[in-house]
């Protein structure tokens, strides 16, 4: 990924939060059939390994777990938010007429080495953790024990676990940082007003930082 210095997000905590809040990642692999991309919800263990570890599961019928070998290099992409930016939102455009459209976004790329876990205990634990986390906001959280044991047991046999030890974590926050603080701020306010709060709030924070820097 091309990351100009002004777009780099160096904070591991910020990137971990981005991954946790996004959850759905794109697992990119290269097997016998060539490049493949699978959209999978991941659980991040930030304390495992030097850069954290990602865990997930896939359907046994999905060939991805057979197309990779333990130790293969893979990439997981997490896109937190993105939004179109109109030049009309930049106050300086109306002064100088030298602005063009762009697209802003927040992403994290987790490079790592994969391990295949065709193991009932690993899969059951991963399913339980993902369920617990994402059901936590529900008025009455669903749990695995709500379904018949034999029903869950049968489903568990139909999925395979994957674990990725992150070896390199790259973050990019494209938030119009090369623009004037007033341009960044106004565009951020427009986005927030129209409901694009992910990029909008991030642009407002970027504008505040730029103003503080003078």
């Amino acid at each position: 990924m091309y990351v100009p210095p002004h777009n780099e997000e160096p904070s591991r905590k910020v990137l971990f939060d981005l991954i946790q809040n996004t959850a759905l990642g794109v697992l990119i692999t290269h097997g016998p059939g060539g490049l493949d991309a699978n959209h999978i919800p991941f659980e991040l263990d930030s304390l495992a390994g030097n850069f954290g570890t990602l865990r997930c599961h896939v359907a046994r019928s999905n060939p991805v777990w057979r197309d990779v070998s333990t130790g293969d290099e893979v990439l997981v992409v997490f896109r937190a938010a993105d939004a179109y930016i109109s030049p009309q939102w930049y106050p300086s455009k109306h002064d100088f007429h030298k602005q063009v459209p762009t697209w802003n976004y927040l992403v994290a790329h987790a490079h790592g080495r994969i391990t295949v876990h065709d193991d009932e205990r690993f899969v059951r634990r991963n399913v339980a953790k993902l369920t617990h986390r994402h059901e936590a906001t529900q008025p009455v959280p669903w749990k695995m024990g709500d379904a018949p044991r034999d029903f869950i047991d049968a489903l568990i046999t139909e999925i395979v676990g994957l674990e990725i030890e992150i070896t390199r974590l790259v973050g990019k926050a494209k938030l119009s940082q090369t623009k004037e603080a007033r341009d960044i701020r106004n565009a951020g306010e427009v986005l927030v007003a129209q409901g694009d709060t992910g990029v909008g709030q991030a642009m407002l924070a970027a504008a505040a930082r730029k103003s503080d820097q003078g």
Side-chain angles (χ1 to χ4, degrees):
M1 175 172 61
Y2 170 61
V3 186
H6 55 270
N7 292 140
E8 181 182 6
E9 176 49 72
S11 169
R12 190 178 302 181
K13 181 184 183 306
V14 169
L15 295 179
F16 280 169
D17 287 345
L18 184 155
I19 291 172
Q20 291 278 27
N21 293 331
T22 304
L24 187 71
V26 183
L27 171 62
I28 300 170
T29 57
H30 192 279
L35 286 169
D36 192 16
N38 284 270
H39 300 256
I40 305 168
F42 285 87
E43 180 73 15
L44 170 67
D45 184 345
S46 61
L47 300 179
N50 293 329
F51 297 93
T53 296
L54 296 167
R55 300 187 180 99
C56 68
H57 57 271
V58 297
R60 186 172 293 278
S61 56
N62 186 334
V64 64
W65 70 277
R66 298 185 188 276
D67 289 344
V68 296
S69 299
T70 291
D72 282 355
E73 292 186 8
V74 299
L75 170 65
V76 185
V77 176
F78 294 91
R79 189 185 72 184
D82 69 281
Y84 172 78
I85 307 297
S86 170
Q88 301 285 16
W89 302 344
Y90 296 141
S92 66
K93 180 267 180 189
H94 304 283
D95 294 336
F96 308 109
H97 305 287
K98 293 182 178 180
Q99 297 289 358
V100 294
T102 192
W103 206 286
N104 284 351
Y105 52 87
L106 300 162
V107 294
H109 285 197
H111 301 254
R113 296 189 178 278
I114 196 166
T115 298
V116 178
H117 289 282
D118 190 4
D119 173 79
E120 183 268 340
R121 287 198 303 173
F122 179 95
V123 170
R124 189 179 294 273
R125 184 167 60 248
N126 184 246
V127 171
K129 285 186 175 181
L130 280 169
T131 301
H132 177 75
R133 180 168 172 236
H134 295 290
E135 282 287 324
T137 58
Q138 298 301 311
V140 181
W142 182 91
K143 55 186 182 298
M144 292 172 69
D146 289 345
R149 179 61 184 260
D150 59 345
F151 172 74
I152 294 295
D153 288 348
L155 291 179
I156 291 295
T157 65
E158 296 302 318
I159 53 182
V160 177
L162 300 175
E163 184 173 57
I164 299 162
E165 181 181 357
I166 301 173
T167 56
R168 184 161 64 97
L169 195 56
V170 182
K172 183 174 182 178
K174 184 175 179 294
L175 302 169
S176 300
Q177 290 98 325
T178 58
K179 307 300 181 183
E180 297 179 29
R182 62 172 178 156
D183 288 337
I184 304 171
R185 183 181 305 108
N186 196 71
E189 289 173 350
V190 172
L191 287 175
V192 170
Q194 67 184 28
D196 287 324
T197 56
V199 172
Q201 293 289 1
M203 289 186 70
L204 291 177
R209 289 192 297 270
K210 191 154 193 172
S211 294
D212 290 342
Q213 294 167 359

